[in-house]
Amino acid sequence: MPKLYGDRIVLREYRVEDIVYMRGWVTDPEIVDNLSDIFLYPQTMNETESYLNSVLEKEGDHRGFVIAHRETDIYIGQIDLFRIDWKNRTTEMGIVIGDKEQHGKGYGTEAIGVLQQFVFDRLGLNRLQLEVYEYNQAAIQCYLKCGFQEEGRLRERHFIQGRYYDVLCMGFLRSDYERLKTIRMS
């Protein structure tokens, strides 16, 4: 898989040594409470290793990249594509900035921009979509900044800490990408 470059980040392949960085966030409730329910229970070292091995071996229905500092290649987080549907030209996206010290610095926004270019220019897809919990306002603002639009809401779909929350369904189309590309060029 090619490396994809942004101004400050690079989207690169996963590596065995990334396990150290992944283990730093997979059991951190401040991070995993914003992610899928696969983190409902503490993740064991074997589970993290199995996930990393499946990515390295390209098993399953997802492909992705590590988000790394451009200058050092050190892991910041990861951004992945799930369920690529080649017939309908769609895919789902997931992202995590695993190093909390890197939160709020725009790395997620930059990584999404680089991924959008890859999805539309390189893969030729038409739609990129994601789901996000309504309480994850930082992520929602990032996605809106990247051009995603709220397309629907699964009311009280997610239960956490004694309360139900909505799940927002957001999408970004090739036409959105082309429009933003035109604006950036002018």
Side-chain angles (χ1 to χ4, degrees):
M1 195 174 281
K3 286 186 177 182
L4 306 173
Y5 293 92
D7 293 333
R8 300 174 302 142
I9 57 105
V10 61
L11 301 187
R12 65 161 172 81
E13 76 286 355
Y14 282 84
R15 299 175 184 159
V16 172
E17 58 268 22
D18 294 328
I19 191 86
V20 174
Y21 301 101
M22 294 168 77
R23 289 298 300 164
W25 65 262
V26 296
T27 57
D28 183 338
E30 287 182 50
I31 293 178
V32 298
D33 283 354
N34 292 307
L35 305 175
S36 96
D37 283 341
I38 64 168
F39 298 103
L40 186 58
Y41 297 98
Q43 192 171 82
T44 66
M45 176 63 108
N46 285 343
E47 289 171 317
T48 309
E49 287 175 342
S50 291
Y51 172 79
L52 181 57
N53 288 333
S54 76
V55 172
L56 293 171
E57 297 299 320
K58 295 188 169 130
E59 298 171 357
D61 68 346
H62 66 277
R63 298 291 179 263
F65 299 91
V66 162
I67 304 165
H69 288 283
R70 184 176 174 139
E71 299 302 317
T72 63
D73 233 18
I74 293 175
Y75 178 106
I76 298 170
Q78 53 202 64
I79 189 165
D80 299 301
L81 300 175
F82 301 90
R83 294 177 276 285
I84 299 174
D85 178 343
W86 293 106
K87 178 195 170 288
N88 295 302
R89 314 302 289 174
T90 67
T91 190
E92 295 177 42
M93 183 197 96
I95 184 171
V96 61
I97 303 298
D99 181 350
K100 286 191 286 193
E101 291 183 15
Q102 305 303 320
H103 288 190
K105 296 183 177 180
Y107 292 125
T109 301
E110 186 174 343
I112 291 169
V114 172
L115 185 75
Q116 287 169 327
Q117 183 177 11
F118 177 73
V119 163
F120 297 110
D121 289 344
R122 193 82 177 254
L123 298 182
L125 299 182
N126 186 57
R127 177 181 175 76
L128 182 59
Q129 61 193 40
L130 58 86
E131 292 184 349
V132 60
Y133 304 132
E134 70 174 314
Y135 57 80
N136 191 351
Q137 288 300 308
I140 292 168
Q141 291 308 308
C142 173
Y143 302 144
L144 290 170
K145 183 176 181 181
C146 291
F148 282 85
Q149 296 178 35
E150 182 178 335
E151 298 178 332
R153 185 177 285 259
L154 304 173
R155 297 178 311 135
E156 296 185 3
R157 169 69 177 81
H158 183 68
F159 183 79
I160 189 168
Q161 298 177 4
R163 186 173 163 210
Y164 289 97
Y165 292 91
D166 294 352
V167 175
L168 281 61
C169 304
M170 300 183 82
F172 185 80
L173 303 177
R174 170 181 289 284
S175 57
D176 300 325
Y177 173 70
E178 295 298 338
R179 184 177 36 78
L180 284 177
K181 200 161 75 167
T182 303
I183 291 169
R184 289 180 188 139
M185 294 175 124
S186 47

PDB file of all heavy atoms in Angstrom, residues 93 95 97 106-113 116 130 136-148 170:
ATOM      1  N   MET A  93     -15.911   4.697   6.980  1.00  0.00           N
ATOM      2  CA  MET A  93     -14.645   5.162   7.530  1.00  0.00           C
ATOM      3  C   MET A  93     -14.678   5.135   9.056  1.00  0.00           C
ATOM      4  O   MET A  93     -15.712   5.386   9.660  1.00  0.00           O
ATOM      5  CB  MET A  93     -14.420   6.603   7.061  1.00  0.00           C
ATOM      6  CG  MET A  93     -13.109   7.196   7.506  1.00  0.00           C
ATOM      7  SD  MET A  93     -13.134   8.999   7.352  1.00  0.00           S
ATOM      8  CE  MET A  93     -13.589   9.418   9.015  1.00  0.00           C
ATOM      9  N   ILE A  95     -11.919   6.389  12.385  1.00  0.00           N
ATOM     10  CA  ILE A  95     -10.661   7.079  12.697  1.00  0.00           C
ATOM     11  C   ILE A  95     -10.507   7.168  14.208  1.00  0.00           C
ATOM     12  O   ILE A  95     -11.487   7.309  14.934  1.00  0.00           O
ATOM     13  CB  ILE A  95     -10.614   8.498  12.068  1.00  0.00           C
ATOM     14  CG1 ILE A  95      -9.257   9.178  12.322  1.00  0.00           C
ATOM     15  CG2 ILE A  95     -11.773   9.350  12.533  1.00  0.00           C
ATOM     16  CD1 ILE A  95      -9.066  10.484  11.559  1.00  0.00           C
ATOM     17  N   ILE A  97      -7.511   9.045  16.913  1.00  0.00           N
ATOM     18  CA  ILE A  97      -6.221   9.635  17.280  1.00  0.00           C
ATOM     19  C   ILE A  97      -5.933   9.052  18.663  1.00  0.00           C
ATOM     20  O   ILE A  97      -6.567   9.436  19.646  1.00  0.00           O
ATOM     21  CB  ILE A  97      -6.267  11.180  17.312  1.00  0.00           C
ATOM     22  CG1 ILE A  97      -6.713  11.750  15.958  1.00  0.00           C
ATOM     23  CG2 ILE A  97      -4.916  11.752  17.740  1.00  0.00           C
ATOM     24  CD1 ILE A  97      -5.806  11.428  14.781  1.00  0.00           C
ATOM     25  N   GLY A 106      -5.516  19.132  14.868  1.00  0.00           N
ATOM     26  CA  GLY A 106      -5.877  19.085  13.455  1.00  0.00           C
ATOM     27  C   GLY A 106      -5.372  17.874  12.700  1.00  0.00           C
ATOM     28  O   GLY A 106      -5.543  17.796  11.478  1.00  0.00           O
ATOM     29  N   TYR A 107      -4.775  16.920  13.396  1.00  0.00           N
ATOM     30  CA  TYR A 107      -4.266  15.732  12.694  1.00  0.00           C
ATOM     31  C   TYR A 107      -5.396  14.893  12.104  1.00  0.00           C
ATOM     32  O   TYR A 107      -5.268  14.347  11.012  1.00  0.00           O
ATOM     33  CB  TYR A 107      -3.407  14.869  13.624  1.00  0.00           C
ATOM     34  CG  TYR A 107      -2.105  15.519  14.024  1.00  0.00           C
ATOM     35  CD1 TYR A 107      -1.771  15.678  15.365  1.00  0.00           C
ATOM     36  CD2 TYR A 107      -1.200  15.965  13.066  1.00  0.00           C
ATOM     37  CE1 TYR A 107      -0.579  16.277  15.743  1.00  0.00           C
ATOM     38  CE2 TYR A 107      -0.010  16.563  13.435  1.00  0.00           C
ATOM     39  CZ  TYR A 107       0.302  16.717  14.771  1.00  0.00           C
ATOM     40  OH  TYR A 107       1.486  17.300  15.133  1.00  0.00           O
ATOM     41  N   GLY A 108      -6.512  14.792  12.808  1.00  0.00           N
ATOM     42  CA  GLY A 108      -7.654  14.040  12.289  1.00  0.00           C
ATOM     43  C   GLY A 108      -8.212  14.685  11.036  1.00  0.00           C
ATOM     44  O   GLY A 108      -8.490  14.008  10.041  1.00  0.00           O
ATOM     45  N   THR A 109      -8.366  16.001  11.066  1.00  0.00           N
ATOM     46  CA  THR A 109      -8.870  16.736   9.898  1.00  0.00           C
ATOM     47  C   THR A 109      -7.947  16.533   8.705  1.00  0.00           C
ATOM     48  O   THR A 109      -8.402  16.261   7.583  1.00  0.00           O
ATOM     49  CB  THR A 109      -8.990  18.238  10.230  1.00  0.00           C
ATOM     50  OG1 THR A 109      -9.889  18.391  11.334  1.00  0.00           O
ATOM     51  CG2 THR A 109      -9.492  19.038   9.038  1.00  0.00           C
ATOM     52  N   GLU A 110      -6.658  16.628   8.940  1.00  0.00           N
ATOM     53  CA  GLU A 110      -5.695  16.451   7.849  1.00  0.00           C
ATOM     54  C   GLU A 110      -5.731  15.020   7.323  1.00  0.00           C
ATOM     55  O   GLU A 110      -5.711  14.801   6.097  1.00  0.00           O
ATOM     56  CB  GLU A 110      -4.286  16.813   8.331  1.00  0.00           C
ATOM     57  CG  GLU A 110      -3.269  16.795   7.216  1.00  0.00           C
ATOM     58  CD  GLU A 110      -1.890  17.294   7.631  1.00  0.00           C
ATOM     59  OE1 GLU A 110      -1.770  17.952   8.682  1.00  0.00           O
ATOM     60  OE2 GLU A 110      -0.940  17.010   6.885  1.00  0.00           O
ATOM     61  N   ALA A 111      -5.802  14.046   8.217  1.00  0.00           N
ATOM     62  CA  ALA A 111      -5.840  12.645   7.797  1.00  0.00           C
ATOM     63  C   ALA A 111      -7.091  12.351   6.973  1.00  0.00           C
ATOM     64  O   ALA A 111      -7.031  11.638   5.961  1.00  0.00           O
ATOM     65  CB  ALA A 111      -5.774  11.721   9.015  1.00  0.00           C
ATOM     66  N   ILE A 112      -8.227  12.897   7.386  1.00  0.00           N
ATOM     67  CA  ILE A 112      -9.468  12.685   6.637  1.00  0.00           C
ATOM     68  C   ILE A 112      -9.359  13.299   5.246  1.00  0.00           C
ATOM     69  O   ILE A 112      -9.768  12.699   4.252  1.00  0.00           O
ATOM     70  CB  ILE A 112     -10.683  13.241   7.406  1.00  0.00           C
ATOM     71  CG1 ILE A 112     -10.943  12.389   8.649  1.00  0.00           C
ATOM     72  CG2 ILE A 112     -11.924  13.272   6.506  1.00  0.00           C
ATOM     73  CD1 ILE A 112     -11.953  12.984   9.617  1.00  0.00           C
ATOM     74  N   GLY A 113      -8.776  14.484   5.145  1.00  0.00           N
ATOM     75  CA  GLY A 113      -8.587  15.116   3.839  1.00  0.00           C
ATOM     76  C   GLY A 113      -7.729  14.269   2.909  1.00  0.00           C
ATOM     77  O   GLY A 113      -8.037  14.115   1.718  1.00  0.00           O
ATOM     78  N   GLN A 116      -9.815  11.253   1.912  1.00  0.00           N
ATOM     79  CA  GLN A 116     -10.834  11.607   0.920  1.00  0.00           C
ATOM     80  C   GLN A 116     -10.211  11.649  -0.483  1.00  0.00           C
ATOM     81  O   GLN A 116     -10.804  11.139  -1.444  1.00  0.00           O
ATOM     82  CB  GLN A 116     -11.470  12.958   1.259  1.00  0.00           C
ATOM     83  CG  GLN A 116     -12.411  12.889   2.441  1.00  0.00           C
ATOM     84  CD  GLN A 116     -12.837  14.261   2.945  1.00  0.00           C
ATOM     85  OE1 GLN A 116     -12.075  15.230   2.889  1.00  0.00           O
ATOM     86  NE2 GLN A 116     -14.052  14.341   3.450  1.00  0.00           N
ATOM     87  N   LEU A 130     -19.866   7.435   7.634  1.00  0.00           N
ATOM     88  CA  LEU A 130     -19.430   7.088   8.973  1.00  0.00           C
ATOM     89  C   LEU A 130     -20.590   7.251   9.940  1.00  0.00           C
ATOM     90  O   LEU A 130     -21.611   7.838   9.608  1.00  0.00           O
ATOM     91  CB  LEU A 130     -18.253   7.977   9.406  1.00  0.00           C
ATOM     92  CG  LEU A 130     -18.468   9.489   9.420  1.00  0.00           C
ATOM     93  CD1 LEU A 130     -19.072   9.957  10.735  1.00  0.00           C
ATOM     94  CD2 LEU A 130     -17.156  10.199   9.179  1.00  0.00           C
ATOM     95  N   ASN A 136     -20.014  12.972  20.992  1.00  0.00           N
ATOM     96  CA  ASN A 136     -18.629  13.169  20.532  1.00  0.00           C
ATOM     97  C   ASN A 136     -18.565  14.433  19.657  1.00  0.00           C
ATOM     98  O   ASN A 136     -18.365  14.379  18.450  1.00  0.00           O
ATOM     99  CB  ASN A 136     -18.148  11.934  19.776  1.00  0.00           C
ATOM    100  CG  ASN A 136     -16.658  11.973  19.504  1.00  0.00           C
ATOM    101  OD1 ASN A 136     -15.990  12.975  19.724  1.00  0.00           O
ATOM    102  ND2 ASN A 136     -16.134  10.855  19.022  1.00  0.00           N
ATOM    103  N   GLN A 137     -18.744  15.575  20.312  1.00  0.00           N
ATOM    104  CA  GLN A 137     -18.833  16.844  19.599  1.00  0.00           C
ATOM    105  C   GLN A 137     -17.535  17.216  18.872  1.00  0.00           C
ATOM    106  O   GLN A 137     -17.586  17.819  17.800  1.00  0.00           O
ATOM    107  CB  GLN A 137     -19.253  17.964  20.553  1.00  0.00           C
ATOM    108  CG  GLN A 137     -20.706  17.880  20.964  1.00  0.00           C
ATOM    109  CD  GLN A 137     -21.648  17.976  19.767  1.00  0.00           C
ATOM    110  OE1 GLN A 137     -21.564  18.893  18.957  1.00  0.00           O
ATOM    111  NE2 GLN A 137     -22.547  17.002  19.645  1.00  0.00           N
ATOM    112  N   ALA A 138     -16.391  16.858  19.426  1.00  0.00           N
ATOM    113  CA  ALA A 138     -15.130  17.178  18.748  1.00  0.00           C
ATOM    114  C   ALA A 138     -15.061  16.462  17.403  1.00  0.00           C
ATOM    115  O   ALA A 138     -14.677  17.063  16.391  1.00  0.00           O
ATOM    116  CB  ALA A 138     -13.940  16.800  19.620  1.00  0.00           C
ATOM    117  N   ALA A 139     -15.460  15.207  17.378  1.00  0.00           N
ATOM    118  CA  ALA A 139     -15.444  14.450  16.122  1.00  0.00           C
ATOM    119  C   ALA A 139     -16.469  15.014  15.145  1.00  0.00           C
ATOM    120  O   ALA A 139     -16.174  15.177  13.950  1.00  0.00           O
ATOM    121  CB  ALA A 139     -15.712  12.976  16.381  1.00  0.00           C
ATOM    122  N   ILE A 140     -17.664  15.319  15.623  1.00  0.00           N
ATOM    123  CA  ILE A 140     -18.707  15.861  14.749  1.00  0.00           C
ATOM    124  C   ILE A 140     -18.226  17.152  14.104  1.00  0.00           C
ATOM    125  O   ILE A 140     -18.381  17.348  12.888  1.00  0.00           O
ATOM    126  CB  ILE A 140     -20.021  16.072  15.529  1.00  0.00           C
ATOM    127  CG1 ILE A 140     -20.602  14.716  15.931  1.00  0.00           C
ATOM    128  CG2 ILE A 140     -21.022  16.890  14.713  1.00  0.00           C
ATOM    129  CD1 ILE A 140     -21.728  14.793  16.947  1.00  0.00           C
ATOM    130  N   GLN A 141     -17.612  18.041  14.882  1.00  0.00           N
ATOM    131  CA  GLN A 141     -17.102  19.301  14.320  1.00  0.00           C
ATOM    132  C   GLN A 141     -16.014  19.035  13.278  1.00  0.00           C
ATOM    133  O   GLN A 141     -15.948  19.712  12.242  1.00  0.00           O
ATOM    134  CB  GLN A 141     -16.589  20.220  15.431  1.00  0.00           C
ATOM    135  CG  GLN A 141     -17.689  20.757  16.320  1.00  0.00           C
ATOM    136  CD  GLN A 141     -18.813  21.404  15.513  1.00  0.00           C
ATOM    137  OE1 GLN A 141     -18.582  22.270  14.677  1.00  0.00           O
ATOM    138  NE2 GLN A 141     -20.043  20.973  15.762  1.00  0.00           N
ATOM    139  N   CYS A 142     -15.163  18.059  13.535  1.00  0.00           N
ATOM    140  CA  CYS A 142     -14.114  17.679  12.581  1.00  0.00           C
ATOM    141  C   CYS A 142     -14.742  17.192  11.277  1.00  0.00           C
ATOM    142  O   CYS A 142     -14.345  17.617  10.188  1.00  0.00           O
ATOM    143  CB  CYS A 142     -13.225  16.603  13.194  1.00  0.00           C
ATOM    144  SG  CYS A 142     -12.014  15.900  12.052  1.00  0.00           S
ATOM    145  N   TYR A 143     -15.730  16.311  11.380  1.00  0.00           N
ATOM    146  CA  TYR A 143     -16.370  15.762  10.180  1.00  0.00           C
ATOM    147  C   TYR A 143     -17.079  16.853   9.381  1.00  0.00           C
ATOM    148  O   TYR A 143     -16.996  16.882   8.152  1.00  0.00           O
ATOM    149  CB  TYR A 143     -17.348  14.642  10.544  1.00  0.00           C
ATOM    150  CG  TYR A 143     -16.709  13.493  11.295  1.00  0.00           C
ATOM    151  CD1 TYR A 143     -17.396  12.820  12.289  1.00  0.00           C
ATOM    152  CD2 TYR A 143     -15.408  13.072  11.018  1.00  0.00           C
ATOM    153  CE1 TYR A 143     -16.818  11.766  12.978  1.00  0.00           C
ATOM    154  CE2 TYR A 143     -14.820  12.030  11.712  1.00  0.00           C
ATOM    155  CZ  TYR A 143     -15.529  11.379  12.690  1.00  0.00           C
ATOM    156  OH  TYR A 143     -14.954  10.343  13.374  1.00  0.00           O
ATOM    157  N   LEU A 144     -17.751  17.761  10.079  1.00  0.00           N
ATOM    158  CA  LEU A 144     -18.415  18.870   9.382  1.00  0.00           C
ATOM    159  C   LEU A 144     -17.382  19.739   8.666  1.00  0.00           C
ATOM    160  O   LEU A 144     -17.582  20.148   7.527  1.00  0.00           O
ATOM    161  CB  LEU A 144     -19.241  19.703  10.360  1.00  0.00           C
ATOM    162  CG  LEU A 144     -20.502  19.029  10.921  1.00  0.00           C
ATOM    163  CD1 LEU A 144     -21.095  19.873  12.054  1.00  0.00           C
ATOM    164  CD2 LEU A 144     -21.534  18.773   9.837  1.00  0.00           C
ATOM    165  N   LYS A 145     -16.268  19.996   9.339  1.00  0.00           N
ATOM    166  CA  LYS A 145     -15.190  20.790   8.738  1.00  0.00           C
ATOM    167  C   LYS A 145     -14.645  20.112   7.479  1.00  0.00           C
ATOM    168  O   LYS A 145     -14.232  20.783   6.535  1.00  0.00           O
ATOM    169  CB  LYS A 145     -14.075  20.983   9.772  1.00  0.00           C
ATOM    170  CG  LYS A 145     -12.931  21.844   9.315  1.00  0.00           C
ATOM    171  CD  LYS A 145     -11.938  22.036  10.439  1.00  0.00           C
ATOM    172  CE  LYS A 145     -10.784  22.915  10.031  1.00  0.00           C
ATOM    173  NZ  LYS A 145      -9.811  23.068  11.126  1.00  0.00           N
ATOM    174  N   CYS A 146     -14.674  18.778   7.470  1.00  0.00           N
ATOM    175  CA  CYS A 146     -14.176  18.002   6.323  1.00  0.00           C
ATOM    176  C   CYS A 146     -15.237  17.826   5.239  1.00  0.00           C
ATOM    177  O   CYS A 146     -14.991  17.146   4.245  1.00  0.00           O
ATOM    178  CB  CYS A 146     -13.681  16.638   6.790  1.00  0.00           C
ATOM    179  SG  CYS A 146     -12.181  16.723   7.784  1.00  0.00           S
ATOM    180  N   GLY A 147     -16.417  18.424   5.427  1.00  0.00           N
ATOM    181  CA  GLY A 147     -17.441  18.399   4.401  1.00  0.00           C
ATOM    182  C   GLY A 147     -18.516  17.342   4.554  1.00  0.00           C
ATOM    183  O   GLY A 147     -19.413  17.244   3.717  1.00  0.00           O
ATOM    184  N   PHE A 148     -18.442  16.526   5.593  1.00  0.00           N
ATOM    185  CA  PHE A 148     -19.489  15.524   5.821  1.00  0.00           C
ATOM    186  C   PHE A 148     -20.788  16.230   6.194  1.00  0.00           C
ATOM    187  O   PHE A 148     -20.771  17.306   6.790  1.00  0.00           O
ATOM    188  CB  PHE A 148     -19.098  14.575   6.958  1.00  0.00           C
ATOM    189  CG  PHE A 148     -18.109  13.520   6.547  1.00  0.00           C
ATOM    190  CD1 PHE A 148     -16.752  13.790   6.551  1.00  0.00           C
ATOM    191  CD2 PHE A 148     -18.535  12.257   6.166  1.00  0.00           C
ATOM    192  CE1 PHE A 148     -15.830  12.832   6.176  1.00  0.00           C
ATOM    193  CE2 PHE A 148     -17.623  11.292   5.788  1.00  0.00           C
ATOM    194  CZ  PHE A 148     -16.264  11.574   5.794  1.00  0.00           C
ATOM    195  N   MET A 170     -23.384  10.095   8.884  1.00  0.00           N
ATOM    196  CA  MET A 170     -22.864  11.216   8.099  1.00  0.00           C
ATOM    197  C   MET A 170     -22.286  10.685   6.793  1.00  0.00           C
ATOM    198  O   MET A 170     -21.751   9.571   6.744  1.00  0.00           O
ATOM    199  CB  MET A 170     -21.803  11.974   8.894  1.00  0.00           C
ATOM    200  CG  MET A 170     -22.338  12.547  10.205  1.00  0.00           C
ATOM    201  SD  MET A 170     -21.122  13.524  11.114  1.00  0.00           S
ATOM    202  CE  MET A 170     -21.273  15.089  10.235  1.00  0.00           C
TER     203      MET A 170
END
